[in-house]
Amino acid sequence: MSHNTLKYYRIADIYISVTGNGAYVEALCNYFRTEEVSAASEPVLLSVIVENDPKSVAIEADYYSLSGKISFNNTSYCVQEAGYIYSVSHLFDNAKPVVMRICCTRKKNIHNWLRTLISPHSVGLGRIEDKFVDSVMNYACFLYIFAVLLLRRDKIFVHCGIVEKADAAFVMCGTGGCGKTSTLFNILQKGEYRYLAEDFGILGKDGYAYYMPKKMAVYQSDAKYKNPDVLKALKKLPLTYRLHWKLFELVKLNPRYRFVPEALFSEARVAKKAPVHKIVYLSRVRQDAPMKSLSISIDELCTKIRLASFRELRQLSEILFNIRAVGNADTRKCYPEPAKLEEAYEQLLRTILTDKPIGLLEVPLKAGPREIANYIISDAVD
């Protein structure tokens, strides 16, 4: 990359620019590389500026909360996290593009290196810039910001897994730990299914589900199911990463590595968008209960999806609650109540799901991903 980087990306038809210089912006651009475009054919909705000096991120604040961790005025807020600091401007002003400035504050020293070495969730994060990007590209930072931006374009974030077959998208929703990811891995082994999303799904008012280039977190608990895609990808990791993984595996921890979807499934097995075919919500029930499909009202399904999805966006709620509690009446006009945001989300979700096939799948507590996948394919997808 050149000394001064300017890159454009398109995700779910939303244009993002990333600018800056140095190793941190290079690592961030590498995260989005599969969605890079030469130029933006529409206005950029989110400009991400990677700074090298924390002072360049700070805003002229009127108020502070959480002992200064959050500072804000009526148009911008700044948040200090472990290892980085970022500010966001105009996130809730639909007439203006959003600007996000971010800077790594983690130092390169033996203490931080040792902390990375002993963390089972740090496989592949030996470089400080990789640790920086891994921290930024999660629900505590970029993902909740992007979730708000999607609402501007009549799209929503849904906590789900999405697969595609024959230009039809099947959406599996649920809370964390319900089996979405492991079931998705199994479905992708069957027939002509392709990957669309995992964890951070995108559904639009236009009736489409969209690809999200979020890296997939693969844990040892996923590898134990012997999924061929997972095992093949783990074998291709650099030797040092495999040794790091094996060490944690031997001491009964649960190591994690984040894969670009194309590295797991190949580019040919990744779809970019598809019309939504069916939406199913997975709920775990007692072990002695049978696996079964049930009908569900659209109101109940929308409530369940909202609750499961906003659980992941809790950082957004925390920021809004703090800003609204500390700021004055004018400030509260600029930052919505979390409940109002959730209400707007559920209204749009209901519009998206209207006239779509929907269902609830009750899954015994210890049912494995292969069993769930086989049931879904025979009962729900076709």
Side-chain angles (χ1 to χ4, degrees):
M1 290 188 178
S2 62
H3 180 68
N4 293 303
T5 296
L6 171 58
K7 297 284 187 179
Y8 296 98
Y9 306 90
R10 185 174 66 184
I11 302 173
D13 295 333
I14 290 176
Y15 284 93
I16 300 171
S17 68
V18 179
T19 60
N21 61 78
Y24 298 110
V25 71
E26 182 177 354
L28 188 58
C29 287
N30 186 57
Y31 189 101
F32 292 116
R33 66 183 184 278
T34 60
E35 305 310 295
E36 184 178 344
V37 293
S38 58
S41 59
E42 297 179 9
V44 172
L45 191 57
L46 172 62
S47 297
V48 180
I49 303 170
V50 183
E51 303 282 6
N52 295 319
D53 183 354
K55 294 179 181 178
S56 301
V57 176
I59 63 170
E60 187 175 340
D62 295 323
Y63 300 98
Y64 298 86
S65 185
L66 297 182
S67 301
K69 178 183 176 182
I70 300 175
S71 57
F72 60 94
N73 55 42
N74 285 3
T75 61
S76 307
Y77 63 91
C78 183
V79 180
Q80 298 181 46
E81 294 285 0
Y84 62 98
I85 180 174
Y86 69 95
S87 61
V88 183
S89 301
H90 311 300
L91 182 59
F92 301 101
D93 185 344
N94 292 339
K96 295 182 179 180
V98 177
V99 177
M100 175 184 177
R101 296 180 180 274
I102 188 162
C103 179
C104 180
T105 56
R106 183 175 284 107
K107 304 299 182 182
K108 292 184 179 180
N109 54 44
I110 189 66
H111 176 71
N112 285 327
W113 179 79
L114 287 173
R115 287 183 62 185
T116 299
L117 190 65
I118 64 175
S119 169
H121 294 166
S122 66
V123 176
L125 301 179
R127 299 189 312 165
I128 194 170
E129 53 266 37
D130 294 328
K131 182 67 174 177
F132 164 72
V133 172
D134 185 71
S135 299
V136 169
M137 296 304 303
N138 62 30
Y139 287 106
C141 189
F142 180 85
L143 292 182
Y144 84 77
I145 295 169
F146 193 66
V148 173
L149 289 181
L150 287 169
L151 292 171
R152 293 197 190 185
R153 293 292 187 265
D154 287 330
K155 298 180 175 71
I156 56 170
F157 148 68
V158 174
H159 189 51
C160 67
I162 311 177
V163 295
E164 177 268 352
K165 180 181 180 182
D167 199 35
F170 178 75
V171 184
M172 297 173 288
C173 307
T175 56
C178 72
K180 299 184 301 297
T181 301
S182 55
T183 300
L184 178 144
F185 276 127
N186 270 268
I187 291 177
L188 289 169
Q189 287 294 314
K190 304 175 188 296
E192 299 175 352
Y193 293 96
R194 296 193 295 169
Y195 174 90
L196 260 174
E198 180 272 334
D199 191 53
F200 193 104
I202 300 173
L203 305 182
K205 190 177 179 181
D206 57 6
Y208 281 86
Y210 290 84
Y211 171 69
M212 176 65 180
K214 178 182 180 293
K215 287 187 177 181
M216 294 185 67
V218 174
Y219 292 81
Q220 171 58 28
S221 53
D222 298 312
K224 72 179 182 182
Y225 293 113
K226 308 298 183 184
N227 182 272
D229 288 320
V230 172
L231 296 179
K232 183 187 296 185
L234 289 173
K235 287 180 180 179
K236 290 183 178 180
L237 291 179
L239 178 60
T240 53
Y241 294 176
R242 283 183 279 138
L243 291 174
H244 201 182
W245 179 284
K246 191 65 177 178
L247 174 63
F248 290 120
E249 185 180 357
L250 289 173
V251 296
K252 307 299 183 182
L253 293 176
N254 192 20
R256 177 191 70 194
Y257 184 85
R258 294 191 187 275
F259 287 94
V260 176
E262 286 82 353
L264 278 167
F265 309 117
S266 80
E267 188 173 346
R269 295 171 63 201
V270 174
K272 294 301 180 181
K273 61 185 286 190
V276 174
H277 171 63
K278 188 169 184 177
I279 302 95
V280 170
Y281 194 94
L282 277 62
S283 287
R284 292 283 182 172
V285 295
R286 67 181 189 271
Q287 181 58 26
D288 61 349
M291 189 179 306
K292 60 182 178 180
S293 295
L294 300 172
S295 61
I296 185 172
S297 71
I298 190 170
D299 288 341
E300 177 65 10
L301 180 60
C302 287
T303 297
K304 284 181 173 294
I305 292 176
R306 172 180 59 80
L307 292 171
S309 299
F310 270 80
R311 175 184 176 276
E312 304 301 318
L313 302 180
R314 51 190 176 272
Q315 178 73 356
L316 171 62
S317 295
E318 180 179 354
I319 289 171
L320 288 176
F321 277 127
N322 275 280
I323 288 176
R324 290 179 56 81
V326 175
N328 59 19
D330 288 337
T331 303
R332 287 192 289 275
K333 293 177 183 177
C334 302
Y335 293 92
E337 292 183 40
K340 294 293 185 182
L341 198 61
E342 291 190 39
E343 181 181 341
Y345 172 98
E346 189 162 333
Q347 288 177 352
L348 179 55
L349 177 62
R350 184 176 289 104
T351 300
I352 292 171
L353 299 189
T354 297
D355 298 327
K356 296 286 192 305
I358 60 177
L360 173 69
L361 179 61
E362 290 190 342
V363 181
L365 180 60
K366 296 183 180 179
R370 185 174 301 174
E371 182 183 355
I372 302 171
N374 288 338
Y375 191 96
I376 285 176
I377 289 172
S378 63
D379 180 74
V381 176
D382 297 328

